[in-house]
Amino acid sequence: MINWFKNSTPSVIGLSISLSVSFLIFWLLSFEFSFDVIHENRDRIFRISMAIKTSDSEDTYATTGAMLGAELMEKYPTVQSYTVFGMYDGDAKLSSGNKLFDGQRIYTVNGEVFNMFSYKLVKGNKQTAFQNRNSMVLTKRLAIKIFGSSSALNQVLKLDDVTYTISGIMEDVPNNSDFHFDALIPNTLQISEEEVLQSYFNLDHYTYVLISEQNNESDLLQDLSHFSSEIFNPMLDKVGAGFHTEFAPKRLDQLHLSEPLLMDMPKGNINNLYILLFLAVLLIILGVSNFLNISVIRSFKTAKKVGVLRAFGVNKLEIKVSFMKDSINIVFLSSLLSLIISVFAINYFEVFQPFRYMPDTARIMIFLSATFIALLLIGALAGIIPVNHMFRSDVAMLLKEERSLISYNSWNQRFLLFVQLFISLGLIAGTVELSRQFNYFQNKHLGFDDKNIIVVKVPSPDDYVHQMRRFKKELNKQSWVEATTLCQIVPGDELEQEIFGISVNGESRESVENYVKVDEGYFDVLRIPIETGRNFNLNSDNNSVIVNKAFLEKYPDITIEETKLGFESTKLIVGLITDYHHLSFHNPIEPLIIGKLNGDDAAGKIMIRTNISNLGNIRQKWEELGIGEPFEYYFLDDHFAEQYSKEENLLWIFMACSLIAISLCCFGLYNILAIMMRSKKRELAIRRVLGSSFLEGYILLSKPFLRLTVITLLVAIPIVYYFIDKWNENFVYPLNVSLLPYMISTTVVAIMISLSIYYHWRRFAKQGISNLMIEE
């Protein structure tokens, strides 16, 4: 038993490592493909998106107006029920006594939410949870955070200045849900008849509809098309709007991996998931090929034993079963070890915290059954290959020596090494390309300077308008502050859109454009140059705007520098700025209109350009202001870089997989070279006697691997190039094609092979000539 474990250790370690990482990747994939599976009606629930189309643009929003769900249910029997989640219009500050709990995700909702969705109330009644307009339902996490171990049911909370009674406690929204919230309150929105049309463009509601069992998605799509063309768009034409709308459904369990829309929830990247799946498959192939390589060599060392068994009349099937049992035991031991490692990693490593969930029983059983069958096949293959080979040799050869059976020129040894080299090359090249792309994101000029900028969150924009202006004024007096600005959003935040009437030579046309409001310090803080015109004036320009170059490129015929905002007030274009990347390189630079913050306009953020070491001084000025609200801040460069978190995570996974691939490839090389040294032992010894140099022996051993490496490169490079090219399609600004990934991967593989050959040849050369001439 001790010898079995000793001989099996390399196989168990190699296979366990590759299977562990593969299982973790499969877990992540299972999580990403399991979004919203908890909802029983998931195949009948659809979220409605709204597209606004003008002659020049089309923008699609994940949100709609508040009335859409009720209108659809009233007019079309396809819609059985609807739920509307409305963004809470405020700072979402919850308070219990003197304790403040801000930053919670609170939505207004109609009473159908617990009938449509499978959210579970652990306390309270879902039918009566929203009977009272001042009722509130909390998630279990938030209830514990606020009330601790005490029962939260029927307790009182204040939301801003309104008192609510806790009418229900629900299970936390699972991690694998597209839509997340911490608390729900009843929707008490009252819309007059005159405001109905305008309410459709207050895009702060997520509308979900439940279709009846006898209908399908195409029926709903047809109803939405009819609603747009026959009901809603004619109303827009009647009031003279220069744009049209379209509504489209997306099934609930397909939302997470769909194309992200404006004002959407964070989405998964289906291309990244395919890459991860490809990685998992490659690692399994690599681990299995390494296992087969070692198993075959290990089995051939028992040739004498097989020869004795054959001499005593033991048939081929019995020997095969014995070898297969041995290999299957190794495979199962490796699989069990890898499962233990995977479960431990998921439960105890913080990096996996967002991905913790309980998959359904059917999915687990399918995975375990498929794994079990695959393990049987792999174990059987590892036992069959050497037995078939040994039965092609006569008994005398088996009894004489096993080394003649082990040939480094055999197709299976070469093919397995080819597979390992191929995967190693691909993973190393992919890692280098990802690293290049990530470095490009970090180092490419954004059109503004994001370094040394501290962003301070305004605790309640509407309540602290004048205090924030005093805070900014006080900071500007300090010599260690270069510039400050009040703004609604900062680079890295989603832009908001407004409907503009673009006035050109007396003619107007409507368009939906990106719009943000800032004060006069915005361009100084970000160091964005103004190419033409001027900056905003401190105490004027309330009806002025500044546009970027992309805006003028969209409207090259603008000669009168005037735009009409919201069909109500005319705003003069006073300046033109250079284009800058407000969002990541996943997104193109879009036309942007920047308005001036008026004296009573609320700002959500304050940006301060100063040395980071002055953070303590800024905090002190905040406390001196006497606001009594927590000082919350972040650094702009870190905030902007968060947009590439998925690419950074993918890069780390690639690096880990590349290291595993190199390690397993070294295992394979070690065994192949050990075979070669044993097979060429006499030839190498004779060459040394005849005066062959160390270099000549080294070259002799390297030639077979040089040919194999060249073949691997010729096969691998086109395939790797194809996948890298597909990867670059994810980005609006991809990198140029480079030979660097292929040069580095080739160099790493060459160094790996060279060092392995050097190690074995050095050991061989140190032995005495007499010892080399004696057979083992």
Side-chain angles (χ1 to χ4, degrees), residues 70-90:
E71 285 282 323
L72 293 175
M73 185 174 173
E74 179 184 339
K75 291 179 170 58
Y76 303 102
T78 303
V79 178
Q80 179 178 320
S81 181
Y82 75 93
T83 297
V84 178
F85 293 92
M87 302 177 192
Y88 177 71
D89 187 18

Side-chain angles (χ1 to χ4, degrees), residues 725-742:
D725 187 58
K726 295 297 289 184
W727 159 259
N728 279 328
E729 289 179 5
N730 290 325
F731 305 97
V732 178
Y733 305 96
L735 284 170
N736 295 326
V737 176
S738 172
L739 294 176
L740 185 64
Y742 315 104

Side-chain angles (χ1 to χ4, degrees), residues 36 65 97 134 203 259 365 451 537-538 568 622 707 774:
D36 292 303
N134 283 65
L203 303 177
E259 191 71 24
M365 293 306 298
K451 301 296 187 291
N537 288 322
L538 176 61
E568 293 177 356
W622 177 275
R707 290 194 295 267
I774 298 173

Side-chain angles (χ1 to χ4, degrees), residues 94-237:
L94 286 171
S95 59
S96 175
N98 295 324
K99 295 181 179 179
L100 179 66
F101 304 90
D102 59 351
Q104 307 305 319
R105 296 165 294 187
I106 301 176
Y107 288 88
T108 64
V109 71
N110 59 312
E112 284 297 301
V113 60
F114 294 116
N115 295 324
M116 272 182 60
F117 297 90
S118 299
Y119 299 126
K120 293 181 180 179
L121 283 184
V122 294
K123 291 185 180 179
N125 188 319
K126 67 179 183 180
Q127 304 300 333
T128 60
F130 295 120
Q131 274 188 349
N132 190 314
R133 63 179 298 172
N134 283 65
S135 300
M136 178 182 290
V137 173
L138 302 180
T139 60
K140 188 190 295 185
R141 181 199 64 82
L142 183 57
I144 293 173
K145 179 179 179 180
I146 296 175
F147 298 103
S149 58
S150 304
S151 175
L153 196 65
N154 298 321
Q155 295 276 9
V156 173
L157 275 178
K158 273 195 172 184
L159 177 56
D160 291 337
D161 295 324
V162 181
T163 301
Y164 287 86
T165 301
I166 309 304
S167 59
I169 308 296
M170 61 172 284
E171 291 284 0
D172 294 334
V173 180
N175 290 339
N176 54 334
S177 294
D178 183 71
F179 189 81
H180 284 265
F181 54 85
D182 299 307
L184 299 173
I185 58 176
N187 190 335
T188 57
L189 185 65
Q190 300 292 328
I191 300 175
S192 65
E193 188 174 341
E194 300 80 30
E195 296 174 324
V196 168
L197 183 60
Q198 179 60 38
S199 73
Y200 274 90
F201 296 96
N202 295 331
L203 303 177
D204 50 6
H205 290 76
Y206 296 92
T207 300
Y208 295 83
V209 298
L210 174 69
I211 64 174
S212 57
E213 292 184 2
Q214 60 267 29
N215 293 110
N216 54 38
E217 183 174 355
S218 61
D219 297 326
L220 177 60
L221 186 59
Q222 184 177 347
D223 290 342
L224 290 171
S225 177
H226 178 271
F227 179 75
S228 297
S229 59
E230 303 299 326
I231 299 175
F232 194 70
N233 286 332
M235 288 195 296
L236 293 176
D237 293 336

Side-chain angles (χ1 to χ4, degrees), residues 543-560:
N543 287 321
S544 299
V545 296
I546 293 174
V547 300
N548 65 350
K549 292 176 69 176
F551 180 84
L552 290 187
E553 290 171 1
K554 182 177 179 179
Y555 302 103
D557 53 345
I558 288 182
T559 55
I560 300 175

